[in-house]
Amino acid sequence: AQSVAQPEDQVNVAEGNPLTVKCTYSVSGNPYLFWYVQYPNRGLQFLLKYITGDNLVKGSYGFEAEFNKSQTSFHLKKPSALVSDSALYFCAVRDRGSARQLTFGSGTQLTVLP
Amino acid sequence: EAQVTQNPRYLITVTGKKLTVTCSQNMNHEYMSWYRQDPGLGLRQIYYSMNVEVTDKGDVPEGYKVSRKEKRNFPLILESPSPNQTSLYFCASRMTGNTGELFFGEGSRLTVL
């Protein structure tokens, strides 16, 4: 079985401050991990992914995420938040050794306050 | 421009009236999928297709049908819609393989009265 948890429904951060959006996962084997962002009235857009190799993954718009196998986490981070980063963020996981498709988290609404 | 196009974007219908939501992609992707998005539940997969004439159930397939007669098109059919199918629907596509990212359409908001 595979699952993903985003423990915070809502994250508020002041513009210019660092932001973190949390994600933990559960898979039987090794994971493929993804982050997507959804702006209002739009479809989801790919931000970054972890497949293998370096645990720190850099993606679009200055975002990065760190794969931590021991803590089964893949938290999304950005050093300095922008008001335009305000959106709904989804973490997703797939077990490499499984035929199961991608499983999405419930989403975290990020609000960056000016 | 590479894109996934869904139609209609918004639809209000009544219980039992058959409807089809179309999805088309211009990236020559083998894999296509339908999701529904509901508050607090994230995205849940309805059906997916690994290639033409190959479709499989996702996590919530009940009440839906799909077909994949052409590579670019993957329509979602609700034969007899019910109010619990009121949701925001997304079509997505990607290249073959397990590591590629999904490209999403803009979404179709369906209300069943």
Side-chain angles (χ1 to χ4, degrees), chain A residues 13-104:
Chain A
V13 63
E15 188 175 27
N17 283 3
L19 70 86
T20 299
V21 183
K22 295 179 180 177
C23 171
T24 59
Y25 65 90
S26 175
V27 295
S28 302
N30 292 308
Y32 296 131
L33 292 155
F34 299 80
W35 276 102
Y36 289 85
V37 60
Q38 184 181 27
Y39 298 102
N41 301 313
R42 303 296 301 276
L44 280 72
Q45 298 176 30
F46 169 75
L47 270 182
L48 52 79
K49 64 183 175 183
Y50 171 79
I51 303 302
T52 188
D54 195 347
N55 289 345
L56 183 63
V57 178
K58 294 188 183 296
S60 307
Y61 313 121
F63 284 93
E64 59 187 30
E66 185 164 13
F67 170 61
N68 188 317
K69 188 171 184 176
S70 63
Q71 297 187 4
T72 61
S73 67
F74 191 56
H75 301 329
L76 182 70
K77 300 185 179 190
K78 187 174 182 181
S80 178
L82 300 172
V83 172
S84 57
D85 292 330
S86 298
L88 186 57
Y89 290 81
F90 290 97
C91 182
V93 68
R94 180 174 180 174
D95 188 334
R96 285 189 209 183
S98 166
R100 285 215 55 191
Q101 301 299 298
L102 203 59
T103 297
F104 284 84

Side-chain angles (χ1 to χ4, degrees), chain B residues 89-103:
Chain B
Y89 292 86
F90 287 101
C91 181
S93 70
R94 62 167 169 79
M95 297 290 287
T96 322
N98 299 332
T99 62
E101 59 267 29
L102 289 164
F103 291 78

